[in-house]
Amino acid sequence: MNDLLLRDFVTHLLEGDCSQAVKEAERLISSGYTAEQLVRNGIEPAAETLNEKCTSVQFNLLEIMLFGRAATEVMKVLYPGGSAVDSNKGTLLLATMEGDVHDLGKNITKMVLTCKGYRIIDCGKNCCISQLIDMAVKENPFAVGVSGLISSVVPKVRQIRQAMDEQGLSQVKIIAGGGTLKQLTPEQLNVDFVAETAFDVDRFLIEILGGENK
Amino acid sequence: MENAGKIRITFGNNNFFATFGNEACIKEVLDLTPVRVNSGCRGNGACGLCKIKILNDHVPEPTVTEQYHLTAKELNNAVRLACQVVPVSGMHIQVINAAQFFGSSVIRPTDYYMKKAFFPVSDVPRDKKHGKYGLSVDLGSTNISAVLWDLYENKRISGRRILNKQAQFGSDVITRIVAANESGANAHRLSELALETIGNVIYDICSQDGYNPFEISAVSIVGNTAELALLCGRNYENLLYPKNWVKKIECACKDKSPWTYKWCINPNALIEIVPPVGGFIGSDLSAGVLATDMAKPGKCCLLLDFGTNTEIALWDGSILWVTSAAGGPAFEGCGLSSGIPAGPGAIYKIDASNNSPDFICHTIFSEWQSRQPKGICGSGIVDLIALLLDADIITSKGKFNHFQTNSYELRTGAGEFTLTKRDIDLFMRSKAAIGTGIGFLLKSSGVVAEEIDHIYICGAFGKNLNIPNAIKIGLLPVVNPNIIDLCGNTALAGCEMLLISSKSREKLELIKQKTNLINMANEPEFDMFYRENLFLRPMEVS
Ligand code: B12
Ligand code: FES
């Protein structure tokens, strides 16, 4: 979506101007924008325009780094840390798979879902399947969320289901998200659900949680 | 080598040394050792995965990239990124984050023959929307090699060699075909294993070097017939019957969707299995003929692709005579007491010493101090047998001269390796199969050894072969050693040409029309040829 009123916000993010981006975010919120709108129509499209700065051939560290910082600062304002009322909606693991170091999207998802009352265990980026499984055994989550931005992690994502089943974790759902994974179907990824955005996932979680609580 | 030097590498409990030449960074040095560092960006500083620690005082100032990816604590603890650190002689590093181990190694463009081969321009029209990368695969029984191409830039961008997982069914193709023939489950498993190995190469290339596998829009595969048939899961049983050994064996991918799914490549990718010549003679041979450009008018050329099943081609100026000699895996070091494949730890070259009765052994990766020889590979065996003949320790019949001896102990600094009478026997039989093959091709074409303008020797075994020794024991015909080229993996090179150029495809078609397949099993003189070629002496061609 291309929201003209968010144009300045996107520009500040892309220029990596933290204070201006934060200021603009606060202004937009007070004029009635939701945090969700700022993420989906501001941060996400801004990242999209960095595409050609981060191909497999070209890579411009500085611009991406500045954008990452600005986006993180804005998120802190949108979702002040630990503001979860209480984390009674159950536990969810989050991870970026082995070989993938993109974690902006995962971190945003973590903030959004924490605020919505989930207990989030962050397994970090470049996380291998065995680490993920160990954590799942320990924390007993109702679902595992994997974020994937580069296509080469797809084979790893597909292996999670079987690895979990082997550890008796068949009841644990798998949710995939992130720029690359969301272009594939649950069947192609061998997961239960593919989330378009961090917000979209809430609906799915409510569905499964609702189902189990009955 | 302008900048040659040595660094010390610690990985787990192991320590070894690696030499470097013009490598720009530690990552490139590590890429050529079995301990590769993890990476997700080919070393452009984008991923931050290639962590190493510098253990002595050669710690460079951190670059901006390192400051971005590493924490202050890591930076203080001398953790750096291997792609950012320039190698300095005497540096001691520890690999913190090693790459996933697939038994694969990096193939650099210079690793295989391309010197005299014509290399055409990319002109195969491609549909942009399906992705810009193409993959060439040489499906060998022992190793699978693959190279990724950028089809728009017309550039080779990455490559790997990896062990074929089908090895769990046995090292030679016949054992595998027999297993596949036994049960549908075996056949299915063998096909899956080949697919998995190719999938691992793709994963290794794309994850380590930061390419999107879904942008692979074309895959070309060459290989020996047995491997191609096993991959497709069809027609492999035909190879069990001699009547089919001169016939075409159809190998095509009937339904590519499970393949593209397994490999995580573009679902619309074009998958092409380059058809085998016929019988056991695969498209690895035709690709080799293409890559060496040996089929030139008026020239006489011989090509030998050594392996379990050695494929031989003779171009007489107008016709390509081909045959295959099932010599067994002796050249790949299999089945011999101290034999191992040509890889790390293999003694690949043996020389006589002027001042000691002991021979001098050269081991692959010998610059790694902790790497001790583990066995002898095919080219090492050729040298050893030639040296033992020279020293009159064995006779041309493969017997030990000293009446009470039945084996020879090759002494190295790191223990002894045995060559038994039985080993020599096995080797002689492999060698005889090749000599017989060459003999029949010469006879069929009417060419005599002196007329040969050029001999191309392909494959891993060929790379380290000592030519005078090979001639001395009758593995190669008696020719001027200068006309012999050791070419490395020409099958892969030819496969790359087929991937990118329609000229090559046309050329292959032309070659095919001029190909004449000889089945030695049908030749009444086979036994006589074979017997003559058993001797360890220069080849006589009647
Ligand atoms: C920032 C960035 C980087 C940064 C990452 C910094 C960091 N800490 O994350 C750095 C510089 C490290 C980087 C490196 C590389 N990158 Co980069 N990078 C990007 C870029 C520009 C933006 C990604 C981003 O942060 N988006 C913003 C976030 C908010 O969006 P998101 O992740 O989709 O998340 C949202 C939703 O999807 C959802 N979500 C995300 N995860 C999850 C999980 C769950 C469970 C749920 C429910 C929801 C959810 O929540 C978010 C909010 O709604 C993209 C371009 C693009 N179009 O995406 C390329 C991109 C992802 N990178 C790419 C590449 C190729 C690389 C490199 C290989 C480049 C190189 N030259 O070597 C390296 C190596 C990386 C590696 N091995 O992991 C390619 C990937 C191509 C592919 N399909 O494989 C892209 C697409 C660029 C391109 N078009 O070529 N990159
Ligand atoms: S940062 Fe990616 S390999 Fe060094």
Tab-separated table of all heavy atoms in Angstrom, chain A residues 122-169:
chain	number	residue	atom	x	y	z
A	122	ASP	N	12.864	-15.774	22.118
A	122	ASP	CA	13.592	-15.440	20.893
A	122	ASP	C	14.838	-16.313	20.760
A	122	ASP	O	15.753	-16.240	21.570
A	122	ASP	CB	13.989	-13.953	20.952
A	122	ASP	CG	14.595	-13.475	19.638
A	122	ASP	OD1	14.825	-14.324	18.754
A	122	ASP	OD2	14.826	-12.257	19.513
A	123	CYS	N	14.844	-17.159	19.757
A	123	CYS	CA	16.010	-18.033	19.548
A	123	CYS	C	17.065	-17.357	18.679
A	123	CYS	O	18.054	-17.991	18.290
A	123	CYS	CB	15.598	-19.346	18.902
A	123	CYS	SG	14.409	-20.252	19.866
A	124	GLY	N	16.838	-16.121	18.316
A	124	GLY	CA	17.861	-15.363	17.599
A	124	GLY	C	17.903	-15.648	16.108
A	124	GLY	O	17.062	-16.355	15.562
A	125	LYS	N	18.947	-15.101	15.480
A	125	LYS	CA	19.129	-15.330	14.047
A	125	LYS	C	20.135	-16.454	13.841
A	125	LYS	O	20.769	-16.888	14.797
A	125	LYS	CB	19.608	-14.046	13.378
A	125	LYS	CG	20.891	-13.489	13.965
A	125	LYS	CD	21.258	-12.152	13.342
A	125	LYS	CE	22.528	-11.625	13.995
A	125	LYS	NZ	22.852	-10.263	13.564
A	126	ASN	N	20.228	-16.928	12.576
A	126	ASN	CA	21.165	-18.000	12.258
A	126	ASN	C	21.007	-19.173	13.226
A	126	ASN	O	21.973	-19.732	13.727
A	126	ASN	CB	22.597	-17.454	12.288
A	126	ASN	CG	23.609	-18.450	11.759
A	126	ASN	OD1	23.307	-19.240	10.871
A	126	ASN	ND2	24.810	-18.439	12.323
A	127	CYS	N	19.765	-19.545	13.508
A	127	CYS	CA	19.480	-20.573	14.519
A	127	CYS	C	19.342	-21.928	13.830
A	127	CYS	O	18.593	-22.055	12.852
A	127	CYS	CB	18.179	-20.201	15.224
A	127	CYS	SG	17.570	-21.448	16.350
A	128	CYS	N	20.068	-22.932	14.282
A	128	CYS	CA	19.956	-24.229	13.618
A	128	CYS	C	18.784	-25.021	14.198
A	128	CYS	O	18.303	-24.730	15.293
A	128	CYS	CB	21.263	-25.004	13.683
A	128	CYS	SG	21.716	-25.485	15.329
A	129	ILE	N	18.345	-26.010	13.443
A	129	ILE	CA	17.141	-26.740	13.822
A	129	ILE	C	17.283	-27.351	15.206
A	129	ILE	O	16.356	-27.298	16.022
A	129	ILE	CB	16.800	-27.826	12.781
A	129	ILE	CG1	16.451	-27.151	11.452
A	129	ILE	CG2	15.647	-28.697	13.238
A	129	ILE	CD1	15.981	-28.084	10.377
A	130	SER	N	18.459	-27.896	15.513
A	130	SER	CA	18.580	-28.590	16.794
A	130	SER	C	18.439	-27.612	17.959
A	130	SER	O	17.822	-27.940	18.975
A	130	SER	CB	19.910	-29.351	16.858
A	130	SER	OG	20.978	-28.457	16.779
A	131	GLN	N	18.964	-26.401	17.791
A	131	GLN	CA	18.785	-25.387	18.838
A	131	GLN	C	17.297	-25.079	19.038
A	131	GLN	O	16.818	-24.950	20.156
A	131	GLN	CB	19.450	-24.084	18.390
A	131	GLN	CG	20.831	-23.818	18.945
A	131	GLN	CD	21.422	-22.596	18.234
A	131	GLN	OE1	21.792	-22.691	17.054
A	131	GLN	NE2	21.475	-21.476	18.915
A	132	LEU	N	16.628	-24.956	17.906
A	132	LEU	CA	15.205	-24.630	17.939
A	132	LEU	C	14.421	-25.723	18.671
A	132	LEU	O	13.573	-25.451	19.521
A	132	LEU	CB	14.712	-24.496	16.488
A	132	LEU	CG	13.321	-23.931	16.267
A	132	LEU	CD1	13.272	-22.474	16.670
A	132	LEU	CD2	12.927	-24.062	14.798
A	133	ILE	N	14.754	-26.970	18.336
A	133	ILE	CA	14.049	-28.099	18.942
A	133	ILE	C	14.328	-28.161	20.453
A	133	ILE	O	13.414	-28.356	21.264
A	133	ILE	CB	14.497	-29.428	18.274
A	133	ILE	CG1	14.232	-29.389	16.770
A	133	ILE	CG2	13.827	-30.623	18.926
A	133	ILE	CD1	12.806	-29.448	16.367
A	134	ASP	N	15.607	-27.985	20.817
A	134	ASP	CA	15.954	-28.015	22.244
A	134	ASP	C	15.120	-26.998	23.016
A	134	ASP	O	14.596	-27.282	24.087
A	134	ASP	CB	17.442	-27.674	22.438
A	134	ASP	CG	18.335	-28.812	21.979
A	134	ASP	OD1	17.782	-29.902	21.697
A	134	ASP	OD2	19.561	-28.619	21.887
A	135	MET	N	15.016	-25.815	22.433
A	135	MET	CA	14.262	-24.762	23.087
A	135	MET	C	12.788	-25.131	23.166
A	135	MET	O	12.125	-24.882	24.177
A	135	MET	CB	14.455	-23.466	22.286
A	135	MET	CG	14.258	-22.217	23.087
A	135	MET	SD	15.257	-22.210	24.579
A	135	MET	CE	16.243	-20.782	24.282
A	136	ALA	N	12.277	-25.753	22.102
A	136	ALA	CA	10.865	-26.130	22.084
A	136	ALA	C	10.581	-27.172	23.153
A	136	ALA	O	9.554	-27.126	23.845
A	136	ALA	CB	10.478	-26.643	20.703
A	137	VAL	N	11.519	-28.109	23.325
A	137	VAL	CA	11.341	-29.140	24.346
A	137	VAL	C	11.293	-28.482	25.726
A	137	VAL	O	10.480	-28.818	26.580
A	137	VAL	CB	12.489	-30.172	24.271
A	137	VAL	CG1	12.467	-31.107	25.471
A	137	VAL	CG2	12.401	-30.970	22.974
A	138	LYS	N	12.148	-27.493	25.908
A	138	LYS	CA	12.271	-26.838	27.197
A	138	LYS	C	11.083	-25.917	27.512
A	138	LYS	O	10.582	-25.896	28.636
A	138	LYS	CB	13.570	-26.019	27.199
A	138	LYS	CG	14.104	-25.719	28.575
A	138	LYS	CD	15.543	-25.182	28.497
A	138	LYS	CE	15.605	-23.820	29.143
A	138	LYS	NZ	16.586	-22.926	28.535
A	139	GLU	N	10.629	-25.187	26.519
A	139	GLU	CA	9.659	-24.113	26.779
A	139	GLU	C	8.211	-24.493	26.500
A	139	GLU	O	7.304	-23.736	26.827
A	139	GLU	CB	10.023	-22.872	25.950
A	139	GLU	CG	11.392	-22.279	26.271
A	139	GLU	CD	11.422	-21.600	27.637
A	139	GLU	OE1	10.342	-21.366	28.213
A	139	GLU	OE2	12.545	-21.318	28.115
A	140	ASN	N	8.028	-25.634	25.856
A	140	ASN	CA	6.681	-26.093	25.567
A	140	ASN	C	5.781	-25.033	24.934
A	140	ASN	O	4.730	-24.695	25.482
A	140	ASN	CB	6.055	-26.619	26.873
A	140	ASN	CG	4.739	-27.308	26.599
A	140	ASN	OD1	4.551	-27.879	25.518
A	140	ASN	ND2	3.811	-27.231	27.548
A	141	PRO	N	6.157	-24.504	23.791
A	141	PRO	CA	5.335	-23.478	23.151
A	141	PRO	C	4.160	-24.116	22.414
A	141	PRO	O	4.175	-25.314	22.161
A	141	PRO	CB	6.303	-22.856	22.144
A	141	PRO	CG	7.186	-23.988	21.763
A	141	PRO	CD	7.301	-24.895	22.956
A	142	PHE	N	3.161	-23.316	22.084
A	142	PHE	CA	2.088	-23.868	21.251
A	142	PHE	C	2.464	-23.750	19.775
A	142	PHE	O	1.923	-24.440	18.938
A	142	PHE	CB	0.751	-23.180	21.542
A	142	PHE	CG	0.750	-21.720	21.220
A	142	PHE	CD1	0.459	-21.282	19.942
A	142	PHE	CD2	1.035	-20.778	22.214
A	142	PHE	CE1	0.471	-19.933	19.641
A	142	PHE	CE2	1.046	-19.429	21.912
A	142	PHE	CZ	0.765	-18.997	20.624
A	143	ALA	N	3.417	-22.876	19.490
A	143	ALA	CA	3.852	-22.747	18.094
A	143	ALA	C	5.281	-22.232	18.006
A	143	ALA	O	5.797	-21.614	18.934
A	143	ALA	CB	2.926	-21.818	17.323
A	144	VAL	N	5.886	-22.516	16.850
A	144	VAL	CA	7.216	-22.024	16.551
A	144	VAL	C	7.076	-21.091	15.344
A	144	VAL	O	6.456	-21.467	14.354
A	144	VAL	CB	8.141	-23.204	16.191
A	144	VAL	CG1	9.393	-22.718	15.489
A	144	VAL	CG2	8.501	-23.994	17.424
A	145	GLY	N	7.610	-19.898	15.464
A	145	GLY	CA	7.540	-18.968	14.336
A	145	GLY	C	8.902	-18.813	13.699
A	145	GLY	O	9.875	-18.488	14.367
A	146	VAL	N	8.987	-19.107	12.392
A	146	VAL	CA	10.272	-18.932	11.719
A	146	VAL	C	10.176	-17.803	10.719
A	146	VAL	O	9.231	-17.687	9.956
A	146	VAL	CB	10.759	-20.208	10.987
A	146	VAL	CG1	11.304	-21.193	11.969
A	146	VAL	CG2	9.664	-20.801	10.150
A	147	SER	N	11.197	-16.960	10.778
A	147	SER	CA	11.251	-15.826	9.889
A	147	SER	C	12.321	-16.118	8.844
A	147	SER	O	13.420	-16.545	9.191
A	147	SER	CB	11.631	-14.593	10.710
A	147	SER	OG	11.768	-13.472	9.888
A	148	GLY	N	12.011	-15.931	7.568
A	148	GLY	CA	12.990	-16.238	6.518
A	148	GLY	C	13.014	-15.173	5.448
A	148	GLY	O	12.000	-14.885	4.822
A	149	LEU	N	14.173	-14.580	5.254
A	149	LEU	CA	14.299	-13.516	4.250
A	149	LEU	C	15.106	-13.957	3.038
A	149	LEU	O	15.037	-13.350	1.989
A	149	LEU	CB	14.957	-12.279	4.879
A	149	LEU	CG	14.077	-11.211	5.533
A	149	LEU	CD1	13.238	-10.495	4.485
A	149	LEU	CD2	13.189	-11.785	6.601
A	150	ILE	N	15.931	-14.990	3.184
A	150	ILE	CA	16.652	-15.445	1.995
A	150	ILE	C	16.180	-16.842	1.615
A	150	ILE	O	15.896	-17.688	2.461
A	150	ILE	CB	18.188	-15.430	2.154
A	150	ILE	CG1	18.622	-16.098	3.437
A	150	ILE	CG2	18.743	-14.041	2.062
A	150	ILE	CD1	20.102	-16.325	3.485
A	151	SER	N	16.109	-17.055	0.315
A	151	SER	CA	15.487	-18.278	-0.192
A	151	SER	C	16.264	-19.530	0.132
A	151	SER	O	15.700	-20.611	0.181
A	151	SER	CB	15.335	-18.179	-1.707
A	151	SER	OG	14.675	-16.996	-2.025
A	152	SER	N	17.560	-19.387	0.359
A	152	SER	CA	18.336	-20.599	0.589
A	152	SER	C	17.984	-21.278	1.914
A	152	SER	O	18.425	-22.393	2.155
A	152	SER	CB	19.834	-20.281	0.528
A	152	SER	OG	20.138	-19.199	1.365
A	153	VAL	N	17.166	-20.648	2.768
A	153	VAL	CA	16.795	-21.336	4.015
A	153	VAL	C	15.592	-22.257	3.824
A	153	VAL	O	15.261	-23.019	4.728
A	153	VAL	CB	16.473	-20.363	5.181
A	153	VAL	CG1	17.698	-19.578	5.578
A	153	VAL	CG2	15.310	-19.462	4.862
A	154	VAL	N	14.959	-22.200	2.655
A	154	VAL	CA	13.748	-23.000	2.461
A	154	VAL	C	13.950	-24.488	2.788
A	154	VAL	O	13.142	-25.077	3.505
A	154	VAL	CB	13.154	-22.772	1.052
A	154	VAL	CG1	12.020	-23.728	0.765
A	154	VAL	CG2	12.700	-21.329	0.913
A	155	PRO	N	15.034	-25.121	2.306
A	155	PRO	CA	15.210	-26.538	2.651
A	155	PRO	C	15.229	-26.777	4.160
A	155	PRO	O	14.699	-27.777	4.639
A	155	PRO	CB	16.567	-26.901	2.040
A	155	PRO	CG	16.860	-25.863	1.026
A	155	PRO	CD	16.115	-24.626	1.421
A	156	LYS	N	15.829	-25.859	4.904
A	156	LYS	CA	15.886	-26.005	6.368
A	156	LYS	C	14.488	-25.879	6.974
A	156	LYS	O	14.119	-26.638	7.865
A	156	LYS	CB	16.790	-24.928	6.973
A	156	LYS	CG	18.241	-25.133	6.671
A	156	LYS	CD	18.840	-26.154	7.608
A	156	LYS	CE	20.199	-26.515	7.070
A	156	LYS	NZ	20.743	-27.754	7.416
A	157	VAL	N	13.739	-24.919	6.485
A	157	VAL	CA	12.397	-24.708	7.032
A	157	VAL	C	11.565	-25.979	6.862
A	157	VAL	O	10.852	-26.414	7.767
A	157	VAL	CB	11.712	-23.494	6.353
A	157	VAL	CG1	10.273	-23.357	6.804
A	157	VAL	CG2	12.494	-22.222	6.648
A	158	ARG	N	11.708	-26.597	5.682
A	158	ARG	CA	10.931	-27.812	5.416
A	158	ARG	C	11.261	-28.950	6.369
A	158	ARG	O	10.472	-29.874	6.546
A	158	ARG	CB	11.219	-28.299	4.003
A	158	ARG	CG	10.539	-27.500	2.952
A	158	ARG	CD	10.897	-28.124	1.641
A	158	ARG	NE	10.432	-27.305	0.547
A	158	ARG	CZ	10.942	-27.390	-0.675
A	158	ARG	NH1	11.915	-28.241	-0.930
A	158	ARG	NH2	10.462	-26.645	-1.625
A	159	GLN	N	12.464	-28.916	6.925
A	159	GLN	CA	12.880	-30.043	7.779
A	159	GLN	C	12.347	-29.924	9.207
A	159	GLN	O	12.405	-30.869	9.977
A	159	GLN	CB	14.407	-30.113	7.835
A	159	GLN	CG	15.042	-30.552	6.534
A	159	GLN	CD	16.537	-30.277	6.492
A	159	GLN	OE1	17.169	-30.069	7.517
A	159	GLN	NE2	17.103	-30.260	5.299
A	160	ILE	N	11.844	-28.743	9.584
A	160	ILE	CA	11.474	-28.524	10.987
A	160	ILE	C	10.377	-29.479	11.443
A	160	ILE	O	10.464	-30.076	12.505
A	160	ILE	CB	11.029	-27.063	11.217
A	160	ILE	CG1	12.161	-26.111	10.822
A	160	ILE	CG2	10.658	-26.832	12.675
A	160	ILE	CD1	11.775	-24.658	10.905
A	161	ARG	N	9.359	-29.638	10.590
A	161	ARG	CA	8.221	-30.473	10.994
A	161	ARG	C	8.692	-31.861	11.428
A	161	ARG	O	8.368	-32.336	12.512
A	161	ARG	CB	7.226	-30.569	9.825
A	161	ARG	CG	6.001	-31.423	10.068
A	161	ARG	CD	4.967	-30.733	10.949
A	161	ARG	NE	5.209	-30.890	12.389
A	161	ARG	CZ	4.658	-30.116	13.308
A	161	ARG	NH1	3.858	-29.117	12.978
A	161	ARG	NH2	4.903	-30.312	14.586
A	162	GLN	N	9.456	-32.496	10.564
A	162	GLN	CA	9.885	-33.859	10.880
A	162	GLN	C	10.749	-33.895	12.134
A	162	GLN	O	10.565	-34.749	13.000
A	162	GLN	CB	10.652	-34.452	9.705
A	162	GLN	CG	10.759	-35.965	9.802
A	162	GLN	CD	11.768	-36.543	8.827
A	162	GLN	OE1	12.121	-35.905	7.836
A	162	GLN	NE2	12.222	-37.751	9.096
A	163	ALA	N	11.656	-32.917	12.238
A	163	ALA	CA	12.533	-32.875	13.408
A	163	ALA	C	11.711	-32.714	14.683
A	163	ALA	O	12.024	-33.315	15.717
A	163	ALA	CB	13.524	-31.728	13.261
A	164	MET	N	10.648	-31.952	14.629
A	164	MET	CA	9.816	-31.769	15.819
A	164	MET	C	9.015	-33.029	16.116
A	164	MET	O	8.904	-33.440	17.269
A	164	MET	CB	8.883	-30.575	15.634
A	164	MET	CG	9.647	-29.264	15.589
A	164	MET	SD	8.874	-27.942	16.521
A	164	MET	CE	7.414	-27.731	15.560
A	165	ASP	N	8.473	-33.638	15.061
A	165	ASP	CA	7.704	-34.866	15.269
A	165	ASP	C	8.564	-35.932	15.945
A	165	ASP	O	8.094	-36.668	16.816
A	165	ASP	CB	7.167	-35.397	13.935
A	165	ASP	CG	6.062	-34.502	13.377
A	165	ASP	OD1	5.631	-33.589	14.113
A	165	ASP	OD2	5.664	-34.701	12.220
A	166	GLU	N	9.825	-35.983	15.526
A	166	GLU	CA	10.722	-36.987	16.114
A	166	GLU	C	10.944	-36.755	17.596
A	166	GLU	O	11.285	-37.681	18.332
A	166	GLU	CB	12.072	-36.987	15.372
A	166	GLU	CG	11.992	-37.715	14.040
A	166	GLU	CD	13.188	-37.432	13.137
A	166	GLU	OE1	14.159	-36.814	13.616
A	166	GLU	OE2	13.117	-37.838	11.961
A	167	GLN	N	10.771	-35.540	18.051
A	167	GLN	CA	10.944	-35.234	19.481
A	167	GLN	C	9.609	-35.213	20.206
A	167	GLN	O	9.502	-34.679	21.317
A	167	GLN	CB	11.619	-33.868	19.648
A	167	GLN	CG	13.043	-33.821	19.148
A	167	GLN	CD	13.932	-34.790	19.901
A	167	GLN	OE1	13.881	-34.879	21.123
A	167	GLN	NE2	14.725	-35.548	19.170
A	168	GLY	N	8.576	-35.766	19.585
A	168	GLY	CA	7.268	-35.786	20.219
A	168	GLY	C	6.626	-34.414	20.304
A	168	GLY	O	5.834	-34.147	21.211
A	169	LEU	N	6.967	-33.552	19.369
A	169	LEU	CA	6.401	-32.203	19.413
A	169	LEU	C	5.370	-31.998	18.298
A	169	LEU	O	5.235	-30.911	17.753
A	169	LEU	CB	7.513	-31.160	19.283
A	169	LEU	CG	8.560	-31.125	20.400
A	169	LEU	CD1	9.732	-30.239	20.023
A	169	LEU	CD2	7.932	-30.644	21.707
